[in-house]
Short mmCIF file of all heavy atoms in Angstrom, two decimals:
data_model
loop_
_atom_site.label_atom_id
_atom_site.label_comp_id
_atom_site.label_asym_id
_atom_site.label_seq_id
_atom_site.Cartn_x
_atom_site.Cartn_y
_atom_site.Cartn_z
N PRO A 597 -51.51 146.27 0.30
CA PRO A 597 -50.56 147.37 0.03
C PRO A 597 -49.17 146.99 -0.13
O PRO A 597 -48.39 146.90 0.83
CB PRO A 597 -50.81 148.24 1.35
CG PRO A 597 -51.21 147.23 2.36
CD PRO A 597 -52.01 146.24 1.64
N ASP A 598 -48.82 146.57 -1.38
CA ASP A 598 -47.35 146.23 -1.59
C ASP A 598 -47.00 146.75 -2.95
O ASP A 598 -46.19 146.30 -3.61
CB ASP A 598 -47.13 144.87 -1.44
CG ASP A 598 -45.61 144.55 -1.41
OD1 ASP A 598 -44.84 145.43 -0.96
OD2 ASP A 598 -45.32 143.39 -1.75
N ALA A 599 -47.68 147.78 -3.43
CA ALA A 599 -47.47 148.46 -4.68
C ALA A 599 -47.18 149.88 -4.63
O ALA A 599 -47.46 150.45 -3.53
CB ALA A 599 -48.61 148.22 -5.67
N LEU A 600 -46.61 150.56 -5.54
CA LEU A 600 -46.23 151.91 -5.50
C LEU A 600 -47.54 152.64 -5.38
O LEU A 600 -48.48 152.48 -6.02
CB LEU A 600 -45.54 152.39 -6.72
CG LEU A 600 -44.13 151.81 -6.81
CD1 LEU A 600 -43.47 152.34 -8.06
CD2 LEU A 600 -43.30 152.22 -5.64
N PRO A 601 -47.63 153.72 -4.43
CA PRO A 601 -48.88 154.48 -4.23
C PRO A 601 -49.04 155.33 -5.41
O PRO A 601 -47.99 155.83 -6.12
CB PRO A 601 -48.57 155.33 -3.11
CG PRO A 601 -47.12 155.31 -2.90
CD PRO A 601 -46.58 154.02 -3.39
N GLN A 602 -50.31 155.59 -5.84
CA GLN A 602 -50.60 156.45 -6.97
C GLN A 602 -50.49 157.87 -6.53
O GLN A 602 -51.04 158.36 -5.48
CB GLN A 602 -51.97 156.16 -7.55
CG GLN A 602 -52.21 154.78 -8.03
CD GLN A 602 -51.36 154.56 -9.18
OE1 GLN A 602 -51.24 155.33 -10.05
NE2 GLN A 602 -50.86 153.27 -9.29
N GLN A 603 -49.67 158.58 -7.24
CA GLN A 603 -49.51 160.10 -6.98
C GLN A 603 -50.31 160.93 -7.91
O GLN A 603 -50.47 160.53 -9.08
CB GLN A 603 -47.95 160.42 -7.04
CG GLN A 603 -47.10 159.53 -6.17
CD GLN A 603 -47.28 159.80 -4.64
OE1 GLN A 603 -47.78 160.81 -4.38
NE2 GLN A 603 -46.92 158.84 -3.92
N ASP A 604 -50.63 162.16 -7.53
CA ASP A 604 -51.46 162.98 -8.42
C ASP A 604 -50.64 163.66 -9.33
O ASP A 604 -51.01 164.00 -10.42
CB ASP A 604 -52.11 164.00 -7.44
CG ASP A 604 -53.15 163.56 -6.56
OD1 ASP A 604 -53.76 162.44 -6.95
OD2 ASP A 604 -53.42 164.00 -5.49
N GLY A 605 -49.33 163.80 -9.02
CA GLY A 605 -48.51 164.59 -10.07
C GLY A 605 -47.07 164.79 -9.53
O GLY A 605 -46.79 164.56 -8.46
N LEU A 606 -46.25 165.17 -10.40
CA LEU A 606 -44.88 165.34 -10.08
C LEU A 606 -44.62 166.33 -8.90
O LEU A 606 -43.89 166.21 -7.98
CB LEU A 606 -43.96 165.76 -11.21
CG LEU A 606 -42.49 165.87 -11.00
CD1 LEU A 606 -41.86 164.64 -10.58
CD2 LEU A 606 -41.82 166.36 -12.30
N GLU A 607 -45.41 167.47 -8.95
CA GLU A 607 -45.20 168.56 -8.00
C GLU A 607 -45.50 168.04 -6.57
O GLU A 607 -44.84 168.23 -5.67
CB GLU A 607 -46.22 169.76 -8.47
CG GLU A 607 -45.98 170.98 -7.43
CD GLU A 607 -46.82 172.12 -7.85
OE1 GLU A 607 -47.48 172.04 -8.92
OE2 GLU A 607 -46.75 173.06 -7.11
N SER A 608 -46.76 167.29 -6.40
CA SER A 608 -47.17 166.88 -5.04
C SER A 608 -46.33 165.77 -4.68
O SER A 608 -46.05 165.62 -3.38
CB SER A 608 -48.57 166.45 -5.11
OG SER A 608 -48.69 165.13 -5.66
N GLU A 609 -45.74 165.00 -5.61
CA GLU A 609 -44.90 163.85 -5.14
C GLU A 609 -43.52 164.41 -4.56
O GLU A 609 -43.07 163.80 -3.69
CB GLU A 609 -44.64 162.90 -6.48
CG GLU A 609 -43.88 161.65 -6.21
CD GLU A 609 -43.67 160.82 -7.44
OE1 GLU A 609 -42.87 161.31 -8.22
OE2 GLU A 609 -44.21 159.80 -7.53
N GLU A 610 -43.01 165.54 -5.18
CA GLU A 610 -41.85 166.00 -4.63
C GLU A 610 -42.07 166.80 -3.33
O GLU A 610 -41.25 166.78 -2.42
CB GLU A 610 -41.29 166.98 -5.58
CG GLU A 610 -40.73 166.38 -6.94
CD GLU A 610 -40.21 167.33 -7.89
OE1 GLU A 610 -40.54 168.62 -7.65
OE2 GLU A 610 -39.46 166.97 -8.85
N GLN A 611 -43.23 167.32 -3.06
CA GLN A 611 -43.44 168.16 -1.75
C GLN A 611 -43.94 167.29 -0.61
O GLN A 611 -43.80 167.78 0.52
CB GLN A 611 -44.46 169.27 -2.15
CG GLN A 611 -43.91 170.18 -3.16
CD GLN A 611 -45.13 171.22 -3.48
OE1 GLN A 611 -46.16 171.23 -3.11
NE2 GLN A 611 -44.56 172.25 -4.26
N LEU A 612 -44.62 166.16 -0.87
CA LEU A 612 -45.17 165.34 0.19
C LEU A 612 -44.37 164.11 0.44
O LEU A 612 -43.68 163.57 -0.42
CB LEU A 612 -46.58 165.01 -0.17
CG LEU A 612 -47.53 166.20 -0.43
CD1 LEU A 612 -49.03 165.46 -0.70
CD2 LEU A 612 -47.71 166.95 0.84
N VAL A 613 -44.31 163.68 1.70
CA VAL A 613 -43.60 162.38 2.17
C VAL A 613 -44.33 161.30 1.41
O VAL A 613 -45.62 161.13 1.67
CB VAL A 613 -43.59 162.25 3.60
CG1 VAL A 613 -42.95 160.94 4.03
CG2 VAL A 613 -42.75 163.41 4.29
N PRO A 614 -43.81 160.30 0.76
CA PRO A 614 -44.53 159.22 0.18
C PRO A 614 -44.88 158.20 1.17
O PRO A 614 -44.26 158.11 2.21
CB PRO A 614 -43.59 158.65 -0.83
CG PRO A 614 -42.18 158.97 -0.19
CD PRO A 614 -42.35 160.29 0.39
N ASN A 615 -45.93 157.51 0.85
CA ASN A 615 -46.44 156.37 1.57
C ASN A 615 -45.83 155.06 1.30
O ASN A 615 -46.10 154.55 0.11
CB ASN A 615 -47.95 156.24 1.58
CG ASN A 615 -48.55 155.21 2.56
OD1 ASN A 615 -47.77 154.66 3.31
ND2 ASN A 615 -49.86 155.08 2.51
N VAL A 616 -44.98 154.54 2.09
CA VAL A 616 -44.30 153.24 1.77
C VAL A 616 -44.67 152.17 2.80
O VAL A 616 -44.13 151.08 2.80
CB VAL A 616 -42.79 153.38 1.75
CG1 VAL A 616 -42.36 154.41 0.62
CG2 VAL A 616 -42.27 153.94 3.17
N THR A 617 -45.64 152.38 3.66
CA THR A 617 -46.04 151.38 4.58
C THR A 617 -46.74 150.27 3.74
O THR A 617 -47.40 150.54 2.82
CB THR A 617 -47.07 151.89 5.61
OG1 THR A 617 -48.20 152.47 4.91
CG2 THR A 617 -46.42 152.95 6.49
N GLY A 618 -46.49 148.97 4.17
CA GLY A 618 -47.05 147.81 3.47
C GLY A 618 -46.14 147.26 2.47
O GLY A 618 -46.45 146.24 1.98
N MET A 619 -45.09 148.09 2.11
CA MET A 619 -44.15 147.74 0.96
C MET A 619 -43.10 146.78 1.70
O MET A 619 -42.78 146.76 2.83
CB MET A 619 -43.48 148.85 0.39
CG MET A 619 -44.29 149.75 -0.52
SD MET A 619 -43.29 150.94 -1.41
CE MET A 619 -44.44 152.08 -2.12
N SER A 620 -42.50 145.94 0.69
CA SER A 620 -41.30 145.26 1.08
C SER A 620 -40.19 146.28 1.35
O SER A 620 -40.26 147.36 0.79
CB SER A 620 -40.81 144.14 0.04
OG SER A 620 -40.51 144.93 -1.04
N VAL A 621 -39.32 145.95 2.21
CA VAL A 621 -38.18 146.95 2.62
C VAL A 621 -37.43 147.27 1.36
O VAL A 621 -36.93 148.45 1.11
CB VAL A 621 -37.23 146.41 3.62
CG1 VAL A 621 -36.63 145.16 3.26
CG2 VAL A 621 -36.22 147.53 4.07
N ARG A 622 -37.23 146.25 0.42
CA ARG A 622 -36.37 146.70 -0.81
C ARG A 622 -37.13 147.70 -1.68
O ARG A 622 -36.45 148.65 -2.10
CB ARG A 622 -36.09 145.28 -1.50
CG ARG A 622 -35.25 145.60 -2.76
CD ARG A 622 -35.29 144.21 -3.72
NE ARG A 622 -36.66 143.77 -3.98
CZ ARG A 622 -37.26 144.33 -4.97
NH1 ARG A 622 -36.85 145.34 -5.70
NH2 ARG A 622 -38.50 143.86 -5.28
N ARG A 623 -38.44 147.43 -1.86
CA ARG A 623 -39.18 148.44 -2.70
C ARG A 623 -39.31 149.69 -2.04
O ARG A 623 -39.32 150.82 -2.73
CB ARG A 623 -40.48 147.82 -3.10
CG ARG A 623 -40.39 146.46 -3.80
CD ARG A 623 -41.70 145.99 -4.42
NE ARG A 623 -42.08 146.93 -5.51
CZ ARG A 623 -43.17 147.82 -5.40
NH1 ARG A 623 -43.94 147.75 -4.53
NH2 ARG A 623 -43.45 148.62 -6.50
N ALA A 624 -39.43 149.67 -0.71
CA ALA A 624 -39.54 151.02 -0.01
C ALA A 624 -38.28 151.80 -0.16
O ALA A 624 -38.25 153.13 -0.38
CB ALA A 624 -39.83 150.78 1.45
N VAL A 625 -37.03 151.05 -0.07
CA VAL A 625 -35.82 151.79 -0.20
C VAL A 625 -35.63 152.36 -1.65
O VAL A 625 -35.26 153.44 -1.87
CB VAL A 625 -34.65 150.86 0.21
CG1 VAL A 625 -33.33 151.43 -0.16
CG2 VAL A 625 -34.66 150.55 1.62
N GLU A 626 -36.04 151.51 -2.59
CA GLU A 626 -35.99 151.98 -4.07
C GLU A 626 -36.79 153.23 -4.26
O GLU A 626 -36.34 154.11 -4.90
CB GLU A 626 -36.20 150.83 -4.95
CG GLU A 626 -35.35 149.70 -4.98
CD GLU A 626 -35.77 148.62 -5.94
OE1 GLU A 626 -36.89 148.69 -6.44
OE2 GLU A 626 -35.02 147.55 -6.16
N HIS A 627 -38.02 153.07 -3.68
CA HIS A 627 -38.96 154.26 -3.89
C HIS A 627 -38.39 155.57 -3.27
O HIS A 627 -38.45 156.63 -3.90
CB HIS A 627 -40.32 153.81 -3.44
CG HIS A 627 -41.31 154.86 -3.71
ND1 HIS A 627 -41.52 155.31 -5.00
CD2 HIS A 627 -42.24 155.51 -2.95
CE1 HIS A 627 -42.68 156.17 -5.07
NE2 HIS A 627 -43.02 156.23 -3.80
#
Side-chain angles (χ1 to χ4, degrees):
D598 197 22
L600 293 178
Q602 298 295 323
Q603 304 291 340
D604 294 333
L606 181 60
E607 182 177 356
S608 80
E609 189 178 65
E610 291 180 346
Q611 295 176 353
L612 300 179
V613 177
N615 183 3
V616 296
T617 57
M619 292 187 186
S620 64
V621 62
R622 181 188 57 77
R623 298 194 66 245
V625 170
E626 289 180 353
H627 189 51

